[in-house]
């Protein structure tokens, strides 16, 4: 029996779909066993990958780790192991830039299995009960926050990404320079907008990530709207939450829509994996159209295909 060990993050969007896909893969491939562990969302975003590559063959990862992984030779360059015709199909198969986000210096860090981006979420029943129209502009979102009906994740990583989103809307175009993130005046204006939005919200938001915000919004009837948080489609399903959310388009700021920031996850293979061919075959199976729209989604996943 050959065993592949994998690690993902701790949520119903992450672990159950991989367990379900792994179970079916084992049934189709006798002699292969796939075992999954989980870690917190904070560890997923911040714990260095080199602490995992000795223990795991398959590592669920997000694209900002690409440079770190390749500079330290931690993961397999999947592009060199995938047939040219398969690679061409994969390069066109996923939502938006999900596939391209895992490319670094023409090497492929991971194959996408999940995608997400910060978007508004709301409780349709609470908006209707309070006779509130869905916000379409930044001003309307701020007004809703002033009524204590809006929250957002205020965890440091989320604040930083939302600040970058505002910079784009102010046409500040961050990261054009290697010596500064953005022009000081625009950076301060974006920070002021974010601070003004947060001021009426409870101080606890600074400990809340997108999962915590979604749980709060669907377990109680206090908050009706969130202007931007990474989407978790589980919370739109009645089978998952009795008070489901809806997701929609970002609001307008200065007559232009806010520009969101790509997230999601992919499957990377550790350089120390002893069964790289089997790990790659499982990754290709997991990201395939039939699995992504079938087992993966039915088990609670948020597919990238």
């Amino acid at each position: 029996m050959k065993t592949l060990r994998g690690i993902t993050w701790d949520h119903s969007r992450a672990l159950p779909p991989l367990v379900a896909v792994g179970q079916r893969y084992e049934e189709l491939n006798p002699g292969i066993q796939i075992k999954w562990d989980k870690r917190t969302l904070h560890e997923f975003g911040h714990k260095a990958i080199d602490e995992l590559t000795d223990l795991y063959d398959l590592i669920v990862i997000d694209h900002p780790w690409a440079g770190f992984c390749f500079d330290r030779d931690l993961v397999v360059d999947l592009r060199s192991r995938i047939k040219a015709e398969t690679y061409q199909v994969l390069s066109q198969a996923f939502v938006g830039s999900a596939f391209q986000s895992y490319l670094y210096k023409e090497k492929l860090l991971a194959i996408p299995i999940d995608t997400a981006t910060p978007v508004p979420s709301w409780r349709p029943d609470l908006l209707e009960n309070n006779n509130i129209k869905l916000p379409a502009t930044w001003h309307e979102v701020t007004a809703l926050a002033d009524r204590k009906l809006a929250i957002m994740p205020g965890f440091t990583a989320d604040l930083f990404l939302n600040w970058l989103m505002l910079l784009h809307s102010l046409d500040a175009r961050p990261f054009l320079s290697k010596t500064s993130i953005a022009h000081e005046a625009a950076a301060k204006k974006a920070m002021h907008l974010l601070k003004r939005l947060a001021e009426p919200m409870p101080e606890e938001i600074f400990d809340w990530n997108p999962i915590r915000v979604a749980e709060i919004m669907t377990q109680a009837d206090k908050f009706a709207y969130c202007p931007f948080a990474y989407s978790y489609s589980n919370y739109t399903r009645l089978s998952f939450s009795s008070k489901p959310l809806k997701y929609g388009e970002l609001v307008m700021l200065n007559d232009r829509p806010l520009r969101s920031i790509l997230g999601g996850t992919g499957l990377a293979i550790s350089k120390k994996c002893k069964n790289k061919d089997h790990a790659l075959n499982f990754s290709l199976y997991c990201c395939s159209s039939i699995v992504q729209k079938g087992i993966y989604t039915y088990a609670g996943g948020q597919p990238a295909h």
Side-chain angles (χ1 to χ4, degrees):
M1 178 72 70
K2 293 181 178 178
T3 300
L4 295 173
R5 297 193 65 88
I7 187 164
T8 183
W9 88 97
D10 183 12
H11 191 264
S12 296
R13 171 181 142 198
L15 181 65
L18 287 172
V19 172
V21 174
Q23 175 64 33
R24 184 59 184 144
Y25 187 83
E26 291 178 2
E27 293 162 355
L28 294 171
N29 298 270
I32 301 294
Q33 185 179 52
I34 303 176
K35 294 184 176 181
W36 288 99
D37 290 334
K38 61 185 180 180
R39 53 192 176 135
T40 67
L41 183 64
H42 178 73
E43 289 173 331
F44 170 79
H46 297 83
K47 189 172 183 178
I49 305 304
D50 53 3
E51 299 180 36
L52 301 173
T53 51
D54 287 335
L55 302 173
Y56 297 99
D57 306 293
L58 295 161
I59 305 173
V60 176
I61 204 168
D62 59 359
H63 65 79
W65 283 107
F68 181 93
C69 288
F70 284 131
D71 285 347
R72 289 160 180 79
D73 199 29
L74 298 175
V75 298
V76 174
D77 171 21
L78 300 178
R79 186 168 189 172
S80 66
R81 301 182 73 94
I82 296 174
K83 293 179 181 178
E85 56 269 27
T86 302
Y87 183 88
Q88 181 60 33
V89 171
L90 289 174
S91 69
Q92 304 297 321
F94 300 97
V95 174
S97 299
F99 183 83
Q100 288 72 24
S101 73
Y102 293 100
L103 289 172
Y104 179 76
K105 295 183 178 178
E106 300 186 351
K107 296 179 180 180
L108 183 63
L109 166 73
I111 302 177
I113 56 170
D114 171 291
T115 194
T117 191
V119 289
S121 58
W122 63 89
R123 283 273 303 275
D125 57 328
L126 293 184
L127 290 183
E128 182 178 352
N129 292 345
N130 287 278
N131 196 28
I132 296 170
K133 183 181 69 172
L134 186 65
T137 66
W138 182 267
H139 175 75
E140 290 171 353
V141 171
T142 303
L144 202 55
D146 287 341
R147 293 179 60 179
K148 309 292 186 180
L149 290 169
I151 54 171
M152 66 180 181
F155 195 68
T156 50
D158 296 285
L159 284 178
F160 177 68
L161 294 173
N162 293 336
W163 177 64
L164 294 180
M165 181 166 56
L166 291 175
L167 286 176
H168 275 288
S169 295
L170 297 171
D171 205 25
R173 302 183 68 194
F175 300 111
L176 289 181
S177 165
K178 291 184 178 181
T179 58
S180 66
I181 296 176
H183 189 274
E184 184 175 351
K188 287 183 176 179
K189 183 174 182 180
M191 200 169 292
H192 174 77
L193 288 169
L194 204 55
K195 180 177 181 290
R196 170 66 182 87
L197 180 63
E199 281 173 347
M201 297 180 184
E203 189 173 344
E204 289 82 3
I205 67 166
F206 299 111
D207 295 320
W208 294 350
N209 61 27
I211 295 174
R212 184 70 182 129
V213 167
E215 292 287 359
I216 289 169
M217 290 181 68
T218 55
Q219 290 185 33
D221 296 332
K222 187 173 182 180
F223 300 107
Y225 185 81
C226 172
F228 25 66
Y230 274 97
S231 55
Y232 280 76
S233 60
N234 313 76
Y235 297 95
T236 69
R237 306 173 190 177
L238 273 171
S239 60
F240 190 80
S241 173
S242 62
K243 300 176 178 180
L245 299 175
K246 280 193 173 183
Y247 289 99
E249 295 182 3
L250 289 159
V251 301
M252 305 288 286
L253 175 63
N254 296 341
D255 298 320
R256 61 192 298 182
L258 294 176
R259 182 179 177 183
S260 202
I261 294 181
L262 180 65
T265 64
L267 276 179
I269 300 173
S270 168
K271 267 286 184 74
K272 296 182 180 180
C273 174
K274 294 183 174 131
N275 297 294
K276 293 182 178 65
D277 288 342
H278 290 298
L280 177 59
N281 287 340
F282 173 77
S283 299
L284 292 172
Y285 176 73
C286 189
C287 80
S288 66
S289 173
I290 193 167
V291 169
Q292 287 262 296
K293 71 182 179 183
I295 299 171
Y296 191 85
T297 297
Y298 295 148
Q302 185 166 290
H305 200 287

